[in-house]
Amino acid sequence: MDVSETPEGEREQELLANLRDLIDEAGQGGAARQLGVDRKTLWRVLDSGRLTPLVTEALERRGANPEAARRRGRLDALERRTKMLDKDVEGLAEAVEALRDEFGTLADLQAEALRAWERRLSAVESQLAGGPAPATEPPGAGREDGAPPSLQGLVQQALGHERGTRPHRDHPEVVTLTAEEGEELVYGKAAPTIVDWRRQRIASLDRGASRVERARAGLRMCELELVLIGEYELTLPPSISPWDESRLGEELHRCEQSLRRARWELVRAHCWRLLRRLLTLGLWRH
């Protein structure tokens, strides 16, 4: 006759089942604490499938008051969760402190950039309002090919080169989206800025780049637009006809607003990047 079929054997199997349920609920450490035994004792019981007198007595005491046992199990589970939360809170506090430091640095950089651009805008607005011309433009210089004052020297530079190497332009003040061979003869000193502006425009539209990279390129593009419009008085796409003085002022104002939005977009992009790193515990890096 199988021992497990005897009343004593059935009782032992029932207590073993209760022990496994307790371990599933509270873990081996929690079960050992509730029963007042060590983990090695529980491991030997589970390995052999036979209860020791000490474990049997503890299980019978627990079975005599199941409600108290359940409360102890819930308290043990709550204690484990509390310890895990404490660790998460410590990690969160460190991440928040790092986030605060990075925001402080970013705010200082943004404030410095804003002050620099405000000084530059004041000089450009004074020029557009009829103030003194920059030192790089000699007073009384005449116009050629209908170009604005800022392009007079560029047109003269272009006339000094062979006619066959300069692309034909009805409106040399209008910037094109694509580069042309010899366009530096048309744009002169503005040519490097135009090349950089095209590159940043493409980067700001690149969906394969991260949000921070696109925002940074967008901010740089707006800064270059401010230079092209305010200093060189150039017309930007999609316009194909030169802007008059009134339109230049409007576009300069629009560019200032776009620059402010681009700065905030860069700040938001950095916030999202840091938040995602925080939520993924540093695993998300893009």
Side-chain angles (χ1 to χ4, degrees):
M1 182 176 179
D2 192 342
V3 175
S4 64
E5 295 179 356
T6 65
E8 294 78 7
E10 292 178 357
R11 179 58 179 164
E12 184 176 16
Q13 293 303 314
E14 181 181 349
L15 291 176
L16 278 170
N18 291 341
L19 176 61
R20 294 188 181 97
D21 290 341
L22 176 59
I23 292 174
D24 290 341
E25 178 183 348
Q28 190 164 337
R33 285 194 300 273
Q34 291 188 37
L35 296 175
V37 299
D38 57 40
R39 293 187 181 185
K40 291 182 178 179
T41 299
L42 288 187
W43 182 84
R44 285 194 295 268
V45 167
L46 294 173
D47 184 56
S48 65
R50 301 298 301 274
L51 293 173
T52 65
L54 179 63
V55 175
T56 300
E57 182 181 355
L59 286 170
E60 288 177 342
R61 284 199 310 270
R62 182 177 184 274
N65 191 354
E67 181 59 30
R70 282 193 293 270
R71 284 198 298 269
R72 286 194 300 270
R74 286 195 294 267
L75 286 174
D76 285 342
L78 182 60
E79 183 181 356
R80 290 197 305 274
R81 294 192 186 98
T82 301
K83 290 181 179 179
M84 294 176 62
L85 285 175
D86 288 341
K87 293 181 180 179
D88 291 342
V89 168
E90 291 177 2
L92 181 62
E94 294 176 359
V96 168
E97 188 63 29
L99 184 65
R100 185 181 293 113
D101 293 341
E102 187 159 347
F103 277 151
T105 302
L106 183 60
D108 292 341
L109 292 174
Q110 291 291 330
E112 179 59 30
L114 181 60
R115 287 192 294 268
W117 278 107
E118 284 176 347
R119 292 192 296 269
R120 194 167 191 174
L121 283 173
S122 297
V124 171
E125 289 170 350
S126 298
Q127 179 184 352
L128 291 177
T136 55
E137 296 182 9
R143 300 195 177 196
E144 293 187 47
D145 296 333
S150 59
L151 285 180
Q152 293 168 15
L154 309 184
V155 175
Q156 292 173 355
Q157 178 185 357
L159 291 176
H161 293 73
E162 293 183 12
R163 293 289 180 178
T165 61
R166 178 188 177 191
H168 172 73
R169 292 283 179 83
D170 292 331
H171 302 294
E173 311 95 321
V174 178
V175 175
T176 60
L177 285 177
T178 57
E180 293 182 89
E181 185 178 357
E183 67 175 15
E184 66 276 5
L185 301 178
V186 177
Y187 298 130
K189 293 181 180 179
T193 306
I194 293 172
V195 172
D196 194 10
W197 172 79
R198 289 174 180 147
R199 182 169 56 250
Q200 300 300 333
R201 178 179 178 275
I202 293 173
S204 69
L205 299 174
D206 183 9
R207 293 301 170 186
S210 69
R211 181 175 178 179
V212 170
E213 292 170 339
R214 294 197 304 271
R216 189 178 292 119
L219 175 60
R220 179 58 180 162
M221 181 183 70
C222 290
E223 293 173 345
L224 295 171
E225 287 181 355
L226 195 65
V227 175
L228 294 174
I229 297 173
E231 294 189 12
Y232 293 109
E233 299 181 14
L234 293 173
T235 298
L236 300 181
S239 297
I240 58 176
S241 299
W243 294 333
D244 57 21
E245 186 174 346
S246 174
R247 179 69 184 278
L248 282 171
E250 293 174 0
E251 293 295 330
L252 185 63
H253 178 66
R254 177 199 60 78
C255 188
E256 294 170 9
Q257 294 177 325
S258 298
L259 184 61
R260 294 189 186 95
R261 288 194 297 269
R263 288 196 183 103
W264 278 113
E265 171 58 23
L266 182 57
V267 172
R268 286 193 293 268
H270 275 290
C271 289
W272 276 110
R273 168 180 281 182
L274 291 171
L275 180 60
R276 285 171 177 165
R277 288 181 182 176
L278 176 62
L279 293 177
T280 60
L281 301 180
L283 297 178
W284 188 89
R285 292 289 177 182
H286 188 55

